[in-house]
Amino acid sequence: MAAESSDSEEEDLVSYGSALQPLQEGERIKKPVPLQEQTVKDAKGRYQRFHGAFTGGFSAGYFNTVGTKEGWAPSAFVSSRQKRAGRTVLGPEDFMDEEDLSEFGIAPKDITTTDDFASKAKDRIKEKARQIAGVVAPIPGTTAFDDLIGPSKITVGVELLRKMGWKEGQGIGPRVKRKPQRQQPDPTVKIYGCALPPGLSEGSEGEEDEYQPENVTFAPKDVMPVDLTPKENVHGLGYKGLDPSQALFGASGREHLNLFTGGSEETSNLLGDLRHSKGRKLGITGQAFGVGALEEEDDDIYATDTLSKYDTVLKDEEPGDGLYGWTAPKQYKSKKRPEREFKYIGKILPGFSLASKPSAPIKIYPPPSLPRNYRPVHYFRPVIIAGNESCHLQKALEESTGKLESDPTQQGRHALNAAQRREQLGETELKGPAPSVLEYLSEKDRERLKEVKQASEQQMKAKIVSQQSANSRFQVTSPEEAAHKWQMHLGGQLANAGSSDFKPFAKNPEKQKRYENFVKSLKQGEKGERLERFFDQNMTEWERGREQEEFFRAAMFYRSSNSTLASRFTRAKYEDDVDKVEVPRDQENDIDDKETAVKMKMFGKLTRDNFEWHPDKLLCKRFNVRDPYPDSSIVGLPKVKRDKYSVFNFLTVHEPTTSVTQATNEKIQESNSLNKPKKSSRWDVSDKEKEKKDSISEFISLARSKADVQQQPPVPAKEECGTGTTETPPTVVADEDKNQEEESGRPPMDLFKAIFVSSSDEKSSSSEEESDEEQQPTTSERQSEATKQVDIADCSSSNLQENVTASTDSGISSLPTSKQELDATEEFGPKLPPAFSSGTTWQQQTEVPATFPGPSKKEKHRKTRERHKTKKERKRKKEKKKKHKKQKNKGKHKNKKSEKDSSSDTTDSSDSLSDMDTTGLSPKELLRRLKQLQY
Amino acid sequence: MAFPQPRPARAELPRQLVRTLQCGQGAVRAARFNADGNYCLTCGSDKTLKLWNPHRGTALRSFPGHGYEVLDAAGSSDNSQICSGGADRAVALWDVSTGRAVRKYRGHAGKVNCVQFNEESTVIVSGSIDSSVRCWDCRSRRPDPVQVLDEATDGISSLKLSAHEILTGSVDGRVRRYDLRAGRLCSDYIGSPISSVCFSKDGQCVLAASLDSTLRLLDKDTGELLGEYTGHRSTAYRLDCVLNELDTHVGCASEDGRVYFWDLLEGSLALSLPVGPGVVQSLAFHPRLPCLLAATQGQVTLWREESFRPEGDPEP
C-alpha cells in the first residue's frame, strides 16, 4: 500500500511479505481474534491446547490428567487365573500418543537416519579423527566408503551457512586479509581470561606463510571449540579407563590413545607424527592379551612383570651416568635445571600446557641434625625396688642387663640420685627446707623408725628362713631348735606382737588360748621347753612342732602392724584417690568484723551473709513455692570442689570462744542493768539514759559501774558480817572484773535457793542495789528466805535431776576460775530451765527414774556444790533484794503491780508455809537421794 | 473520698491472770497455742504432750509416746495433727483424734529443740541440738528428711516458719533465714547465742532473743537493727520471745520469773508480768487476742487483757 501511494520511488522499494487486502468501502474492520479464542488443531482436526510456550508443550491427556472427558474408567477386572498367559507386556509406546510416534515426535516410527549411519564426512573434526583411525584401523581404507555409503545428515544450521556461502573448513565471519590477522595482538589491549592452549588454531598456519597475495581476502580461520566436557568421574586428572569399544575395534591403536579419544581432537595433531613413526599396533596390547597376529614385536611375550620395573619414588629420570638424585654434584644439578622443562614431554593433559616459567621453588627446611651417638631405639629397663622380696628376679635382671651396663659408673645419670648428681656437678646443697621427712621427726621417733626398718629386714630374713624351713621341714628334729631359730629371727619384734585384737585362731578357742599364752611368754623372753608347756600335751611331737611354727608365723605376721606407727594414723576422711573434696562455696567468715559491728550496733550489711541456697524440689512443692532454681541439681548451699590439701579448707570459720563474747556481753548487759530502772527507751532522744545505752558510752558506763563498786565496800562489809565471806577486796579492779564474770554466768537464784535454803547470799552486782538495800541480819534473812522461797525448793524426786543440774550450773558459773567449764556448758546452747513444780498435785505421781544423770555428773555436782556454797548463799540473798527493788522502782505500774506482787507474795508465802516442812528437809533429802543414785 | 481508717484499737497487754493450768507433766517445757488459739499444747518433761482448752481450763487429751522430755510441739493448721519433738531425738506426728503417734521421724543426732509445721502442714521442720534443721515430709512414707539444713555450726535453739521462709536461731549466734522462694540464705550475726526467734505478724521483721539478755528486732530484708529491748534476764536458758497480736509489743520470758513486754517502736518497757517464782520457760501469744500463755515450772498460766471478763465459770 505504501508502494501504491508513492509513485515516484517505486523501484527503490523492496517489499517483503504479502500485502493486506485493500479495505472495502463501508466494510468494518475485523477485530483480531482474542488470545483465548485462538485455537490450534492437530493433524486429525482435534483441538490442541497449548501448554508450554516453546517446547512443543501441549497438555497431555485430558487437561493434564490421565482421565478423559468421561472420567477415569479403570479397566474391568479380569481374573488372572484364566488369562494368565495372555497378559501382554506393555511398552512405553502403549502410553504414547500418535504424535509422539510421528516423524517429529519423541519416538518416530518412520525410518530416519540415525547418528550412527549419518555421514560424518561433513564434520571436519570428526573426519580428521576418522582419517587417523582409518590409517590405524585393522582394515585400512574402510572410512573411505563412508562417504559413498552413508547417508548425509546435515543440520539446518550447516545448511543455512552453506547457502550463505560458507565452506567447510572456514571460519565464520567476513573475509579478511591475511596480513592483519597475522599480526601480533596489540600489547596495549589486555586480554582477560584463560589463554587458549597453544597449537589450537595453529594447525595449518605453517604452509600458508610463504604465499601472501595482496588483494586476496581469506575467510577467517576456523576456530576449534574448546573442549569443555565436564569431569564427571572420580578418576585422576586425564585418566581414562580402557574403553572396550575402542580397544576391540581399534579406533585407537595404542594405549596412549586412551587419553585422546574422539572428544579431544586438538591433541591428535600433536600426536600425529608420533603415531606414524611407531607404526601400527593392535588395539589391544599388553601381557594379558597376548600378541596379536599383526603385532610385530613379540620378543617379550612371556615377560613377567616385576616390581623393579616400576618406580617407587617420584624422581627425575636417571641420566645414566649414575650422578643423579640429591647427592648429585652441584654443577650437574644446576645444569639439569633448564633441561627440566624440555625433558617433560609426553603426558601433557588436555587443556594444559607446559609452564614457561618454573614456579618458585619450595623452601625446604632441613631436619634437625641428630647427635652423633643417637640410638634410635629406646630400651625400657624394668624397675626393681630394692629390698623387695623379688631379689632373685632383681638379680636375674641385673645379670641379664649386666652386659649393657656393666660399669656402674657408666650406668649414666638415671642411676644416680639427686645428691650424687649434685656431687658430680659440683653444686652446693640447697639451703631450702629439710629434704627428708625424717628431719622433722624427733630423735626418738627416728630411732623407732629405724627399729621398724630393722624389724622389716629381719622379717625378710625370717621369711627366707621360713622357706628354708619349709623345705627342710622333716629335717627339723626338735621343736626347741625351731623355736630357738624363730626366736632369733623374731628378736625383739615380738615385743608388741599379739595384741588382743588379733585372733588368728578365733575358730578354735583352745588353740587361740594357747597361742595367746605362747605369745605372752614369748614376749617375756622365755625359751624352748618353757614355751613347750603351752602346747597340748596330747599332741605328738611333730604336731607340737608344727603348731609352734604356726604360732611363730602368726605372731610374726601380725606384729601389730608396726604399732608404733599404727597408733598415729586414723582412717582417711576422704578417699585417697580423690584429690578433691567438696567444700561449701560460701562460708560465713570474718567473725571478728561482725563482732565489732555488733558491738557498734551496726547491724545490717556488716553482720549479714547472703548465700545462694537451693531448696529441695519436694520442699518447694510442699511449701507451694516455685523452685527458684528449676534446673539445678544442687540441694543446699552450692559446693565447690577444692584441692583436698588446699589451705582454704582449713581456714574454717573459727567461732570465737563464747566466753569472751559472753564476758563482753555481760559487761554490756550489766552496764545496761545499771540504768535499767530509769531507762524508758533507747530511741527517746530526750532521755538522758539513752546516751548510756550507746555503744561508745558503754565503756564509760562500765567504768562507772566499776567506780560504783569501788564505792560500795562498806555496804557489803556490813552485810557479810555473819557469813564469813571470802569475798575479794573490792578495791582491786581486776578482782572486780572477775566478779563481774562470775555474775555473768550466774543462774537464777531460785536454783540455789531450792537446794541451799539455809544459806544466805550477799553478793553484790550493781551499785544501785547495794545502795538502797535494807540491811538485815543474816539470821533473819535466812528465815525470810526460808519462808519466801520454800515453794521453789520443792524437792520431789521427779525434779531431783533438774535440781542437780541447776546446782551444777550455779556452781560452775559462780566459780571465777571455771571459765572453761562455763564454755563447755554453753557449747550446747541454752539449757532447759529447771523443772520445778509448785503444785503438790503431781508431786507423788510422777516419778522420773534416775536415768538421766550419770554418776560422774553427780559427783561433779556435789563437788561444785560444796565448793561454792557460801557464794551461792550470798547470791540468793541478792536476788531477793533485786526483786524488792524492782517493785519499788516501777513507778508507772506501781499500783497494779504492787497489788499483784503483794497478792502473789501472799500466795507465795502461803504456799511456802504449806510446804514448809518439806522444804526444810530438802537439802538432806537431796543428799540422801543423791547417794541413793550414786550407789 | 474515703473515710479515714478507724484508729486501731489501742493494744492491750495481757495483764490479768485468768487461769492457771496445773499440768501435772513435770516441768512444762513448752506451751503452744494451736493455729487459731482456741487450744493449747503443753510439753512436759514426763514424756507426755497434753492438749488443753486453756480458756476453759480443761485438759483434752494426753499424748504419751515420747521416749524422753517433750521439748516443743506445734499444731497443724487443720487441728487434725500435732507434731512434737523431744529429747529422745525423735520428731513425732500425732493424730489428735486417736491420740496416737502416726509417725516418728528419727534422724536427729541430738535433742530436738523445736518443731514447726509449714503453712499447709505438709512438712514438719525440726531443729535440733545437733545443729541441723530437718524437713520431714508428712505426705509420703519416706523415713528420711526432705532436706537437711546443716549450715548452723551449733545447736538450733529456735525455729519459725512463714509461708516460704524458714527462720532459725542457733547457739552459734546467728539467725538464719532460708528463703525458699528466692533461693537465698541470709545469715545475720548476733553474736550471742540465740535462744528464740520469731517473725513479726507482718512478716517484715525478725525478733531474736539472745543470751546476752537482749531482744533485737531486725529488718528481715536488710538485717538492720530496728530495735533493742533489754531489761529482762536471759543468760542461760532457752526462753521464748513473742510479739503480741498487733505487733505493737514484744515480749520475752525472763529467768527472774517474769514476762517482760516492751513497746515495739519505742523500746520502752511496757509491762513486767510476775508469772511465777521460777524461770518462765515458755511463752505463747494468742494469734488474735491479747492472750498470753506462760509456762513456768509445772504450770501454765493464761493471761488476758484487763478488760476481759471471763464468762461462764467463776474466777477463782
Side-chain angles (χ1 to χ4, degrees):
Chain A
M1 56 183 180
E4 274 176 38
S5 58
S6 63
D7 22 52
S8 59
E9 298 146 357
E10 218 174 73
E11 278 77 72
D12 299 341
L13 294 174
V14 177
S15 59
Y16 289 103
S18 54
L20 289 170
Q21 282 188 352
L23 211 64
Q24 297 290 322
E25 284 296 322
E27 199 180 357
R28 304 194 78 181
I29 302 164
K30 270 186 189 167
K31 278 183 183 172
V33 185
L35 199 68
Q36 65 270 19
E37 286 176 24
Q38 293 178 357
T39 55
V40 172
K41 290 177 182 171
D42 62 3
K44 289 180 179 173
R46 292 177 303 191
Y47 285 109
Q48 268 199 326
R49 290 172 301 276
F50 283 102
H51 187 252
F54 300 106
T55 53
F58 45 85
S59 62
Y62 182 74
F63 289 98
N64 274 335
T65 68
V66 294
T68 59
K69 196 174 183 180
E70 292 80 30
W72 184 73
S75 59
F77 171 73
V78 182
S79 170
S80 61
R81 185 174 273 185
Q82 277 82 26
K83 299 180 71 179
R84 189 167 297 176
R87 283 176 76 193
T88 54
V89 178
L90 298 175
E93 293 83 7
D94 295 317
F95 303 99
M96 285 181 177
D97 291 334
E98 299 89 65
E99 294 87 359
D100 296 332
L101 305 173
S102 66
E103 189 183 355
F104 300 106
I106 54 172
K109 288 262 172 169
D110 302 332
I111 296 169
T112 51
T113 322
T114 56
D115 257 352
D116 298 336
F117 299 99
S119 165
K120 284 140 197 167
K122 301 297 175 267
D123 197 344
R124 184 180 165 246
I125 302 158
K126 280 188 179 168
E127 189 191 6
K128 202 165 188 178
R130 222 177 162 72
Q131 276 172 359
I132 296 164
V135 172
V136 192
I139 305 165
T142 43
T143 51
F145 299 109
D146 276 0
D147 293 337
L148 303 175
I149 305 164
S152 73
K153 188 200 174 189
I154 301 167
T155 57
V156 180
V158 173
E159 201 108 1
L160 278 171
L161 278 171
R162 270 189 190 162
K163 279 190 175 172
M164 288 165 77
W166 173 75
K167 300 244 174 53
E168 281 162 28
Q170 291 178 348
I172 298 164
R175 297 178 75 86
V176 288
K177 294 202 166 182
R178 179 57 81 189
K179 230 342 162 12
Q181 202 191 7
R182 286 192 61 222
Q183 276 177 345
Q184 290 296 314
D186 195 357
T188 55
V189 179
K190 281 187 180 171
I191 300 161
Y192 296 97
C194 296
L196 284 172
L200 203 78
S201 54
E202 243 87 338
S204 55
E205 205 168 333
E207 66 263 28
E208 286 165 343
D209 269 346
E210 51 268 13
Y211 178 65
Q212 297 162 12
E214 283 303 308
N215 48 359
V216 177
T217 58
F218 292 90
K221 295 187 85 180
D222 199 4
V223 177
M224 291 279 185
V226 181
D227 183 26
L228 294 174
T229 38
K231 182 171 162 21
E232 288 164 324
N233 51 22
V234 291
H235 302 147
L237 210 59
Y239 171 81
K240 209 161 203 184
L242 187 66
D243 190 357
S245 63
Q246 280 183 344
L248 288 169
F249 301 118
S252 55
R254 65 197 68 211
E255 63 266 34
H256 273 203
L257 274 186
N258 288 347
L259 299 171
F260 314 109
T261 46
S264 56
E265 287 85 356
E266 67 271 13
T267 49
S268 58
N269 289 339
L270 210 89
L271 295 165
D273 47 349
L274 204 90
R275 224 170 267 140
H276 289 293
S277 69
K278 271 236 175 170
R280 296 184 309 176
K281 259 197 174 182
L282 201 64
I284 305 162
T285 57
Q287 313 296 334
F289 295 98
V291 182
L294 299 166
E295 194 73 41
E296 285 172 359
E297 43 212 64
D298 55 351
D299 41 357
D300 55 351
I301 315 167
Y302 305 107
T304 49
D305 245 355
T306 56
L307 271 177
S308 58
K309 283 185 169 182
Y310 295 94
D311 286 339
T312 51
V313 189
L314 282 173
K315 60 175 184 185
D316 296 336
E317 271 181 62
E318 240 176 279
D321 54 356
L323 299 171
Y324 64 96
W326 57 281
T327 50
K330 203 156 202 180
Q331 92 279 17
Y332 194 91
K333 261 197 272 185
S334 59
K335 206 181 77 188
K336 271 181 84 175
R337 183 134 310 186
E339 262 180 22
R340 191 173 281 174
E341 46 210 58
F342 301 108
K343 216 155 61 65
Y344 188 81
I345 199 118
K347 300 177 180 174
I348 296 174
L349 289 178
F352 288 85
S353 61
L354 274 174
S356 56
K357 246 196 294 181
S359 61
I362 300 160
K363 195 167 187 188
I364 294 163
Y365 297 95
S369 57
L370 294 171
R372 264 189 318 132
N373 307 343
Y374 177 70
R375 265 191 310 174
V377 186
H378 181 70
Y379 296 106
F380 290 95
R381 280 192 208 96
V383 180
I384 300 152
I385 300 152
N388 218 357
E389 295 162 74
S390 58
C391 52
H392 293 301
L393 173 69
Q394 190 187 358
K395 204 179 272 178
L397 281 166
E398 265 171 8
E399 276 169 4
S400 67
T401 55
K403 284 146 202 160
L404 287 175
E405 15 183 63
S406 53
D407 193 1
T409 53
Q410 275 195 343
Q411 259 177 15
R413 56 213 158 84
H414 301 295
L416 301 176
N417 63 16
Q420 283 169 320
R421 277 198 295 272
R422 189 182 60 224
E423 272 174 30
Q424 282 192 355
L425 289 169
E427 282 177 354
T428 55
E429 197 174 345
L430 276 178
K431 292 286 194 301
S436 166
V437 189
L438 285 173
E439 304 279 311
Y440 295 110
L441 296 175
S442 67
E443 197 65 35
K444 223 166 83 185
D445 290 337
R446 251 180 282 177
E447 270 173 23
R448 229 180 280 170
L449 269 176
K450 209 182 278 176
E451 248 174 52
V452 170
K453 207 173 161 189
Q454 282 173 352
S456 67
E457 279 166 8
Q458 273 172 338
Q459 188 191 1
M460 280 266 298
K461 270 188 228 160
K463 257 186 195 160
I464 295 160
V465 172
S466 75
Q467 283 166 5
Q468 288 171 357
S469 69
N471 295 337
S472 59
R473 168 153 308 168
F474 298 101
Q475 293 165 18
V476 175
T477 49
S478 70
E480 284 92 347
E481 221 178 282
H484 184 68
K485 208 169 70 184
W486 274 112
Q487 227 159 14
M488 248 175 48
H489 292 309
L490 290 173
Q493 317 160 21
L494 271 174
N496 42 28
S499 25
S500 56
D501 52 341
F502 178 66
K503 288 189 166 47
F505 309 108
K507 279 181 187 169
N508 192 346
E510 274 183 28
K511 199 173 178 183
Q512 175 67 29
K513 204 175 172 187
R514 264 179 276 151
Y515 169 72
E516 275 167 16
N517 288 331
F518 175 79
V519 169
K520 212 186 283 171
S521 63
L522 205 61
K523 270 192 221 170
Q524 286 158 6
E526 290 181 20
K527 281 188 192 172
E529 56 283 356
R530 311 239 353 229
L531 289 172
E532 195 68 18
R533 68 195 149 91
F534 295 115
F535 297 108
D536 198 344
Q537 298 303 321
N538 298 332
M539 286 198 285
T540 61
E541 191 96 333
W542 184 79
E543 276 174 330
R544 233 176 284 169
R546 232 180 78 170
E547 195 171 74
Q548 192 180 18
E549 201 168 315
E550 207 176 341
F551 284 179
F552 268 123
R553 202 165 297 167
M556 199 184 65
F557 173 71
Y558 180 56
R559 277 201 313 109
S560 80
S561 76
N562 297 338
S563 61
T564 48
L565 289 173
S567 60
R568 309 214 158 189
F569 297 107
T570 178
R571 197 173 287 267
K573 192 176 177 188
Y574 304 107
E575 281 176 41
D576 271 344
D577 49 344
V578 182
D579 52 2
K580 301 249 173 168
V581 285
E582 286 208 330
V583 186
R585 193 180 65 190
D586 312 303
Q587 284 194 332
E588 299 161 345
N589 43 13
D590 51 273
I591 282 286
D592 293 341
D593 292 356
K594 292 201 173 71
E595 195 95 23
T596 49
V598 166
K599 244 179 234 166
M600 303 283 284
K601 304 214 162 141
M602 290 167 73
F603 285 90
K605 273 176 191 165
L606 289 173
T607 58
R608 168 158 285 206
D609 290 310
N610 212 325
F611 306 121
E612 190 180 310
W613 176 71
H614 296 245
D616 193 275
K617 294 207 171 4
L618 183 60
L619 199 64
C620 289
K621 196 178 153 195
R622 292 276 185 264
F623 271 77
N624 263 338
V625 168
R626 198 175 62 86
D627 194 349
Y629 306 101
D631 39 25
S632 89
S633 57
I634 315 167
V635 171
L637 291 181
K639 303 205 166 183
V640 285
K641 288 219 163 186
R642 289 230 184 100
D643 271 353
K644 189 158 65 171
Y645 302 110
S646 167
V647 185
F648 296 105
N649 295 343
F650 304 104
L651 293 177
T652 48
V653 186
H654 197 76
E655 301 272 334
T657 51
T658 43
S659 64
V660 179
T661 62
Q662 197 70 15
T664 53
N665 287 333
E666 294 309 326
K667 276 177 195 166
I668 293 162
Q669 182 214 346
E670 196 149 37
S671 67
N672 292 348
S673 67
L674 290 175
N675 321 318
K676 185 170 62 181
K678 288 177 202 164
K679 185 214 166 197
S680 61
S681 165
R682 105 169 235 275
W683 296 275
D684 193 357
V685 190
S686 62
D687 200 328
K688 239 192 148 190
E689 296 302 324
K690 185 214 162 213
E691 289 170 6
K692 286 182 187 170
K693 296 297 295 166
D694 281 342
S695 57
I696 306 146
S697 59
E698 269 172 10
F699 298 100
I700 303 170
S701 59
L702 257 179
R704 196 179 295 170
S705 73
K706 279 175 193 167
D708 287 345
V709 174
Q710 282 176 356
Q711 288 167 7
Q712 60 178 322
V715 183
K718 278 179 215 160
E719 288 175 357
E720 288 159 6
C721 53
T723 52
T725 180
T726 54
E727 174 109 68
T728 51
T731 45
V732 186
V733 182
D735 285 358
E736 204 49 50
D737 279 344
K738 230 188 249 172
N739 284 345
Q740 283 175 353
E741 266 180 31
E742 287 170 34
E743 284 156 17
S744 70
R746 182 200 298 132
M749 271 311 105
D750 317 22
L751 308 180
F752 309 118
K753 288 167 194 164
I755 309 163
F756 307 104
V757 198
S758 55
S759 52
S760 69
D761 176 20
E762 314 209 271
K763 184 110 188 292
S764 60
S765 68
S766 68
S767 59
E768 285 176 54
E769 280 182 29
E770 308 286 341
S771 58
D772 60 358
E773 204 160 57
E774 63 269 50
Q775 300 165 12
Q776 290 176 335
T778 18
T779 50
S780 69
E781 182 143 348
R782 267 183 207 166
Q783 281 171 358
S784 67
E785 294 273 338
T787 51
K788 283 197 179 174
Q789 310 294 340
V790 271
D791 53 332
I792 317 160
D794 189 304
C795 62
S796 73
S797 59
S798 68
N799 297 324
L800 183 64
Q801 288 87 26
E802 295 297 334
N803 286 343
V804 170
T805 50
S807 70
T808 50
D809 295 335
S810 64
I812 288 160
S813 54
S814 59
L815 180 66
T817 52
S818 64
K819 224 158 111 181
Q820 283 85 1
E821 286 174 18
L822 184 76
D823 292 346
T825 57
E826 287 188 348
E827 234 173 51
F828 297 100
K831 295 175 289 290
L832 289 167
F836 288 101
S837 76
S838 54
T840 52
T841 51
W842 57 284
Q843 196 172 324
Q844 280 84 23
Q845 65 190 26
T846 54
E847 190 80 18
V848 177
T851 50
F852 176 36
S856 61
K857 205 170 181 180
K858 266 169 268 157
E859 276 176 3
K860 200 177 83 184
H861 297 167
R862 274 173 27 155
K863 261 187 243 163
T864 50
R865 202 182 54 189
E866 279 159 17
R867 251 189 287 165
H868 308 293
K869 217 174 221 173
T870 52
K871 277 179 187 171
K872 276 173 225 151
E873 286 163 8
R874 266 182 278 126
K875 273 185 192 167
R876 188 171 46 96
K877 190 182 163 193
K878 192 204 69 193
E879 180 65 22
K880 206 203 69 195
K881 282 174 204 159
K882 225 186 230 167
K883 228 178 229 171
H884 281 296
K885 196 203 66 200
K886 254 179 220 152
Q887 288 169 10
K888 271 184 197 168
N889 288 338
K890 264 155 217 156
K892 214 164 142 190
H893 314 293
K894 194 167 182 181
N895 305 334
K896 299 164 203 161
K897 218 175 270 169
S898 58
E899 282 171 23
K900 244 174 231 167
D901 284 352
S902 62
S903 68
S904 67
D905 277 358
T906 50
T907 52
D908 279 358
S909 58
S910 65
D911 281 352
S912 63
L913 280 169
S914 63
D915 290 342
M916 230 211 319
D917 45 356
T918 57
T919 50
L921 285 171
S922 63
K924 288 173 202 164
E925 176 80 8
L926 264 176
L927 276 171
R928 192 179 59 81
R929 278 166 203 253
L930 270 174
K931 271 176 195 164
Q932 273 178 354
L933 285 171
Q934 210 165 354
Y935 301 119
Chain B
M1 176 145 173
F3 286 104
Q5 287 283 320
R7 175 172 292 186
R10 185 174 159 73
E12 283 186 284
L13 285 174
R15 297 168 190 271
Q16 183 188 4
L17 177 67
V18 175
R19 200 175 295 280
T20 302
L21 308 173
Q22 294 295 343
C23 296
Q25 295 178 280
V28 177
R29 291 309 184 194
R32 300 278 180 251
F33 273 113
N34 74 330
D36 56 5
N38 290 333
Y39 302 96
C40 82
L41 294 160
T42 58
C43 307
S45 62
D46 69 339
K47 314 175 195 174
T48 59
L49 180 72
K50 276 191 178 177
L51 177 65
W52 302 78
N53 184 335
H55 308 288
R56 293 185 182 276
T58 49
L60 300 174
R61 198 181 273 282
S62 178
F63 299 90
H66 264 291
Y68 215 83
E69 286 184 315
V70 186
L71 293 179
D72 197 7
S76 71
S77 51
D78 58 353
N79 287 336
S80 69
Q81 287 182 317
I82 292 168
C83 67
S84 64
D88 58 350
R89 301 178 287 181
V91 176
L93 179 67
W94 306 88
D95 186 62
V96 173
S97 53
T98 62
R100 294 225 186 95
V102 180
R103 300 210 47 195
K104 278 208 175 176
Y105 303 95
R106 298 185 192 277
H108 277 298
K111 289 198 281 188
V112 179
N113 272 336
C114 39
V115 289
Q116 285 286 312
F117 269 120
N118 73 330
E119 210 170 41
E120 295 191 344
S121 307
T122 52
V123 173
I124 299 172
V125 183
S126 62
S128 161
I129 201 169
D130 67 356
S131 77
S132 73
V133 172
R134 280 162 206 262
C135 308
W136 310 92
D137 190 8
C138 302
R139 288 283 173 85
S140 68
R141 304 288 300 170
R142 86 183 222 197
D144 314 318
V146 177
Q147 189 169 4
V148 179
L149 320 176
D150 52 0
E151 280 74 33
T153 54
D154 209 334
I156 306 291
S157 58
S158 179
L159 174 80
K160 287 289 185 312
L161 261 68
S162 75
H164 62 279
E165 289 159 314
I166 301 172
L167 183 73
T168 67
S170 170
V171 184
D172 63 2
R174 286 177 185 273
V175 176
R176 290 182 178 78
R177 185 170 58 85
Y178 300 85
D179 194 331
L180 274 86
R181 190 180 289 165
R184 307 294 302 179
L185 160 61
C186 295
S187 163
D188 286 317
Y189 183 74
I190 302 291
S192 178
I194 309 294
S195 64
S196 177
V197 288
C198 61
F199 279 114
S200 62
K201 295 277 188 301
D202 62 354
Q204 296 303 308
C205 307
V206 166
L207 184 68
S210 54
L211 286 193
D212 53 355
S213 301
T214 311
L215 261 71
R216 290 183 178 86
L217 188 71
L218 303 176
D219 188 281
K220 192 184 81 176
D221 294 324
T222 63
E224 284 162 10
L225 184 70
L226 300 176
E228 205 175 35
Y229 313 95
T230 54
H232 65 300
R233 196 170 56 138
S234 166
T235 55
Y237 300 129
R238 186 165 65 84
L239 304 179
D240 286 335
C241 64
V242 291
L243 278 129
N244 73 339
E245 84 280 8
L246 297 174
D247 273 351
T248 56
H249 290 80
V250 298
C252 185
S254 173
E255 288 169 13
D256 56 6
R258 289 168 176 271
V259 174
Y260 291 82
F261 276 96
W262 295 266
D263 192 294
L264 182 133
L265 286 175
E266 292 177 358
S268 57
L269 187 67
L271 174 64
S272 152
L273 272 185
V275 172
V279 177
V280 180
Q281 300 186 358
S282 180
L283 280 187
F285 210 95
H286 195 282
R288 293 189 325 274
L289 300 171
C291 176
L292 178 77
L293 275 181
T296 174
Q297 300 177 349
Q299 65 187 14
V300 172
T301 49
L302 180 74
W303 301 77
R304 292 298 299 262
E305 70 275 17
E306 275 190 317
S307 57
F308 177 75
R309 287 285 161 267
E311 67 269 9
D313 51 356
E315 186 69 19

